[in-house]
Amino acid sequence: ERGRLHDARLRLLQGTRAQARLRGQLLAKLAERFSSQRFALALQRRGGRLVDLAARAAALHPQATLRRGFALIRDADGRTVRDAGALAAGARIAATVARGRIEATVVKSERDGTANEERR
């Protein structure tokens, strides 16, 4: 029985050492995978992508469009005007520009060569 106990003890120690060795190898692989250089490079790539996306979003922001000289036109009910033909002469409009708002009255609107003029 002492011999069997001794053999069992050796097997247990060998198994424990083998598990420790395997776990050590696994830890080494994980450490390599998440090394500071590799991690920093991945962060740098993702950070660059984030900067690109932020620049695109800023360029598409409505305020950026207004700064380029465009205006947002709304009718008297506050609806966005997308079609000049939808406005008759005499209609009240509000134009939002980069630095403020302008209220105006339509004198003439033209859509594809068809004029809507105020008759005097």
Side-chain angles (χ1 to χ4, degrees), residues 63 66 69-74 94-103:
Q63 190 63 33
L66 296 177
F70 291 90
L72 176 62
I73 309 296
R74 296 186 189 274
T96 303
V97 294
R99 291 191 186 159
R101 189 168 178 259
I102 302 162
E103 290 190 19

Side-chain angles (χ1 to χ4, degrees), residues 20-69:
R21 197 171 31 255
L22 287 174
R23 287 184 179 161
Q25 290 170 351
L26 178 61
L27 283 174
K29 285 180 183 179
L30 287 172
E32 179 185 328
R33 185 172 170 192
F34 294 107
S35 71
S36 60
Q37 285 181 337
R38 197 168 180 177
F39 189 67
L41 183 60
L43 279 178
Q44 185 179 16
R45 277 194 303 255
R46 290 193 178 168
R49 174 90 171 117
L50 187 59
V51 168
D52 290 344
L53 290 173
R56 284 184 190 178
L60 295 173
H61 192 278
Q63 190 63 33
T65 303
L66 296 177
R67 282 193 301 268
R68 290 193 304 267

Side-chain angles (χ1 to χ4, degrees), residues 4-23:
R4 283 192 353 220
L5 182 61
H6 179 70
D7 290 344
R9 186 172 159 216
L10 285 177
R11 281 194 309 269
L12 181 62
L13 283 174
Q14 288 172 349
T16 304
R17 286 181 188 144
Q19 283 183 350
R21 197 171 31 255
L22 287 174
R23 287 184 179 161

Side-chain angles (χ1 to χ4, degrees), residues 73-94 105-117:
I73 309 296
R74 296 186 189 274
D75 65 13
D77 296 326
R79 292 180 302 232
T80 302
V81 177
R82 293 180 177 83
D83 180 357
L87 296 173
R92 299 283 301 160
I93 59 170
T105 303
V106 175
V107 174
K108 176 182 176 183
S109 65
E110 205 172 293
R111 177 179 182 225
D112 300 330
T114 307
N116 291 332
E117 291 188 53

